[in-house]
Amino acid sequence: MADLSKHEPKILLQMKNIHKKFPGVYALKDVNFELRAGEVHALLGENGAGKSTLIKCLAGIYIPEEGEVIVNGKSHIMQSVADSQAHGISVIHQELCLVPYLSIAENMFLGRERNVAGIIKRGQENEEAKKMLARLGLDFDPNTLIKDLSIAQQQMVEIAKALSVKADILVMDEPTASLTDKETEVLFETMRQLKAEGIGIIYISHRMSELFAITDRVTIMRDGQYVGTVNTRETTNDQLIAMMVGRELTQLYFKDEVKPGKVVLEVKDLVSPPFVNGVSFSIREGEIVGMSGLVGAGRSETAHCIFGIDDKYTGEILIDGKPVHIRSVRQAMQNGIALVPENRKEEGLVLINSVGYNLTLTILHEIFRGHPLGNPSRESEEIARHIQELAIKTPTAEQLAENLSGGNQQKIVIAKWLATKPKLLILDEPTRGVDVGARAEIYGFMNELAKQGVAILMISSDLPEVINMSDRVLVMHEGRVTANLSKHELSQETIMLYATGNGGNINAA
Ligand SMILES: Nc1ncnc2c1ncn2[C@@H]1O[C@H](COP(=O)(O)OP(=O)(O)OP(=O)(O)O)[C@@H](O)[C@H]1O
Ligand SMILES: [Mg+2]
């Protein structure tokens, strides 16, 4: 008899006709999904399409109202996280789940401590943790507390933790959102090894190029519904986007010409060791200035000085030509500065409060001005306007922020800072985790603000974004601006040259 096993890969998982409702939201409507052994299968869809919800139905966090889940040939709806793990499923969630005040090793073995007669064997745990980190090319001390790691490092620990569980099915919900290209490549190498071992991987990412680099198939979802499944090798970027958004997407990048006005921001010789080592630049009204560089180049840290989060820097900041004293976020806001932070979960959102509360948080003083008891109609007007303008997907303004999809939480943070009507807007990785449609909306906003004379500093690791949306680009390397490139000088190669320090410093006075 012919051996069919080579041609018919084993099916690890089937999810059939899955339905899941939340109050006011029909999150999953009749969704189907299948995972084979040894494949990387992407889940693709716009923000709020239902990807994370489907994963949570597999992880035992949500129980679907209808539908069937078949794991290794047996029909079984996961009843709890432990139940899901016992069925060989390991999940890296979109929100990091590490405990900040525990060490790397303690986090990795949380709930499954290595012990003998009730005594935890920390030494053994540390050793195993070290091995798992090494697999991802990481050389951390397993005793390091999570709170002392950067977001990208925490993400890598989360991945190492998921890999340490013996699983047949590995789920990764946006594992690369905070990673650089280099870390992503290490992760992909590990994924290739796992594939070869016959493990099936469900992979979620908004970075289209990654889908073509690592996946075998893509299942597309739209508005909680199953759209289709295609072989990655037989599809194109445009086809995937069309399936995802349900229409042809008009041009993603669109940059209006704006004649720059007077200088809004000037910084002179900012220093805050170890990441900021003498930064000087200026931005004019109506300008969108990109800021490029590798992780650790000091871009976010420079923004933290200008926004008063870092209050220990030396150097000078001038707004509208006048030196200003900025040693707190309040002072920065008083000077007309807004910052959309890189780490939105910690710096940007109050998750346990409503969408509306978060949207008006930065302008409460305005709403209360002349209305000591508040001004409900003005407030709901503002909220409704933001929800509509940024197309935030939420049933009502009363929904808790934590119930929104990852990308929609992001839009709230952007909207909330726009509400302050800044003269200088600093965006730190503005489109991270945002789907292509919402990206276009955010770019449209930047254009609009630039036309109104707002000066915009856009920190971004996404080179096509930086090149297409900026009037000029500052490149940083080791805490200094190494190049100030005008529009016609922009290319990926030139930016990388200065970002790696190989182009010297053409910005030095
Ligand atoms: N616990 C919840 N309560 C209420 N609504 C929820 C809850 N969890 C998710 N939703 C809603 O279900 C829909 C699908 O959300 P989900 O998080 O699955 O989207 P997603 O595809 O993962 O999006 P993203 O790309 O932004 O992460 C959204 O409208 C979201 O607001
Ligand atoms: Mg999600």
Side-chain angles (χ1 to χ4, degrees):
M1 224 173 83
D3 178 14
L4 286 177
S5 61
K6 276 202 188 71
H7 308 286
E8 290 291 322
K10 186 177 157 200
I11 293 176
L12 293 177
L13 166 75
Q14 279 175 292
M15 299 181 84
K16 291 183 176 171
N17 313 107
I18 303 288
H19 289 256
K20 177 73 202 164
K21 285 182 197 153
F22 298 108
V25 183
Y26 204 155
L28 299 176
K29 293 171 229 168
D30 210 23
V31 174
N32 296 298
F33 183 77
E34 177 199 89
L35 182 68
R36 296 176 186 152
E39 82 164 334
V40 179
H41 193 147
L43 260 183
L44 180 67
E46 291 185 285
N47 296 131
K51 305 177 296 293
S52 298
T53 305
L54 187 68
I55 293 317
K56 287 176 184 167
C57 287
L58 180 62
I61 295 170
Y62 296 148
I63 309 227
E65 283 100 32
E66 273 179 63
E68 195 181 9
V69 177
I70 303 170
V71 178
N72 281 319
K74 278 201 216 80
S75 177
H76 176 77
I77 296 287
M78 304 301 153
Q79 297 298 315
S80 66
V81 173
D83 187 22
S84 169
Q85 284 172 351
H87 280 82
I89 298 165
S90 180
V91 181
I92 303 167
H93 288 287
Q94 192 171 8
E95 324 69 52
L96 297 177
C97 306
L98 302 170
V99 185
Y101 285 90
L102 290 183
S103 72
I104 294 177
E106 284 167 331
N107 266 283
M108 279 193 176
F109 293 100
L110 204 61
R112 51 186 183 108
E113 284 79 6
R114 299 283 181 263
N115 67 71
V116 169
I119 299 166
I120 296 177
K121 300 182 73 176
R122 287 277 176 239
Q124 188 192 335
E125 286 188 359
N126 278 355
E127 203 123 299
E128 285 184 40
K130 236 182 143 51
K131 258 191 233 144
M132 291 179 299
L133 292 167
R135 183 167 187 182
L136 290 171
L138 304 171
D139 184 26
F140 298 148
D141 176 353
N143 291 309
T144 313
L145 297 185
I146 294 298
K147 72 170 183 57
D148 295 328
L149 299 177
S150 74
I151 295 296
Q153 290 170 333
Q154 291 183 25
Q155 180 70 68
M156 292 302 272
V157 170
E158 190 86 79
I159 293 167
K161 180 180 172 183
L163 296 181
S164 73
V165 182
K166 188 99 197 65
D168 307 315
I169 298 172
L170 181 61
V171 186
M172 302 181 158
D173 193 347
E174 289 211 49
T176 57
S178 57
L179 302 187
T180 64
D181 290 355
K182 190 166 151 268
E183 291 153 326
T184 302
E185 201 29 65
V186 175
L187 175 64
F188 284 2
E189 202 36 58
T190 314
M191 286 168 70
R192 288 183 196 109
Q193 288 168 22
L194 294 170
K195 266 178 67 149
E197 292 167 22
I199 290 171
I201 303 176
I202 305 176
Y203 189 78
I204 300 177
S205 173
H206 286 290
R207 298 182 180 172
M208 302 297 290
S209 59
E210 290 184 353
L211 301 191
F212 288 96
I214 194 71
T215 71
D216 301 291
R217 290 196 289 168
V218 181
T219 286
I220 299 103
M221 294 175 67
R222 190 193 322 142
D223 288 334
Q225 277 169 309
Y226 173 82
V227 176
T229 302
V230 294
N231 289 322
T232 311
R233 238 179 297 158
E234 293 159 11
T235 189
T236 62
N237 192 61
D238 288 355
Q239 189 193 358
L240 288 179
I241 290 177
M243 289 176 86
M244 175 164 68
V245 301
R247 62 188 145 90
E248 295 286 322
L249 194 74
T250 47
Q251 203 183 355
L252 175 60
Y253 301 110
F254 183 78
K255 173 76 181 74
D256 287 320
E257 282 299 319
V258 178
K259 207 171 141 38
K262 59 181 178 26
V263 173
V264 174
L265 170 77
E266 184 169 7
V267 300
K268 288 185 189 165
D269 208 23
L270 282 189
V271 177
S272 181
F275 290 110
V276 185
N277 299 313
V279 173
S280 304
F281 64 88
S282 61
I283 306 182
R284 292 174 176 277
E285 286 172 343
E287 261 194 320
I288 299 179
V289 175
M291 194 176 242
S292 246
L294 304 176
V295 164
R299 296 171 300 162
S300 297
E301 289 79 4
T302 299
H304 288 174
C305 297
I306 301 169
F307 198 57
I309 295 171
D310 178 345
D311 60 357
K312 297 201 175 54
Y313 63 89
T314 60
E316 220 182 338
I317 299 175
L318 294 90
I319 296 286
D320 294 334
K322 289 188 213 66
V324 289
H325 179 84
I326 297 178
R327 298 288 161 177
S328 69
V329 171
R330 173 176 290 270
Q331 286 165 345
M333 286 173 69
Q334 281 163 352
N335 280 292
I337 306 173
L339 168 76
V340 175
E342 180 183 21
N343 178 6
R344 282 160 273 261
K345 283 285 160 59
E346 272 173 30
E347 298 167 19
L349 265 191
V350 188
L351 286 171
I352 54 161
N353 274 317
S354 72
V355 170
Y357 172 89
N358 274 287
L359 283 174
T360 51
L361 200 55
T362 49
I363 53 163
L364 281 181
H365 60 284
E366 253 184 64
I367 289 173
F368 279 84
R369 184 175 299 146
H371 297 269
L373 300 176
N375 185 349
S377 63
R378 162 86 203 281
E379 193 174 337
S380 40
E381 230 169 73
E382 281 283 327
I383 293 171
R385 189 168 59 82
H386 285 304
I387 289 178
Q388 195 229 333
E389 280 180 348
L390 277 174
I392 296 171
K393 200 174 174 204
T394 180
T396 66
E398 281 72 49
Q399 179 70 290
L400 298 185
E402 67 183 351
N403 286 339
L404 257 55
S405 78
N408 281 297
Q409 291 182 5
Q410 183 138 333
K411 291 192 210 169
I412 297 184
V413 181
I414 294 180
K416 138 181 151 168
W417 285 107
L418 293 183
T420 64
K421 303 201 180 64
K423 60 173 86 159
L424 170 68
L425 175 64
I426 307 174
L427 301 162
D428 197 349
E429 306 286 358
T431 58
R432 187 175 274 174
V434 169
D435 68 50
V436 283
R439 246 177 200 255
E441 285 160 24
I442 291 172
Y443 296 149
F445 249 98
M446 290 167 57
N447 272 312
E448 211 39 58
L449 291 172
K451 272 191 239 169
Q452 292 165 17
V454 177
I456 300 177
L457 178 66
M458 176 182 66
I459 301 172
S460 172
S461 301
D462 184 328
L463 286 176
E465 168 174 289
V466 167
I467 291 172
N468 286 293
M469 292 308 301
S470 310
D471 292 303
R472 61 189 168 90
V473 173
L474 303 167
V475 187
M476 283 190 71
H477 174 67
E478 293 184 346
R480 288 191 179 82
V481 178
T482 49
N484 178 358
L485 304 170
S486 58
K487 187 122 199 130
H488 67 271
E489 294 174 296
L490 292 179
S491 72
Q492 304 217 2
E493 294 72 29
T494 314
I495 292 175
M496 285 322 286
L497 185 70
Y498 293 103
T500 49
N502 291 322
N505 187 340
I506 54 165
N507 190 52

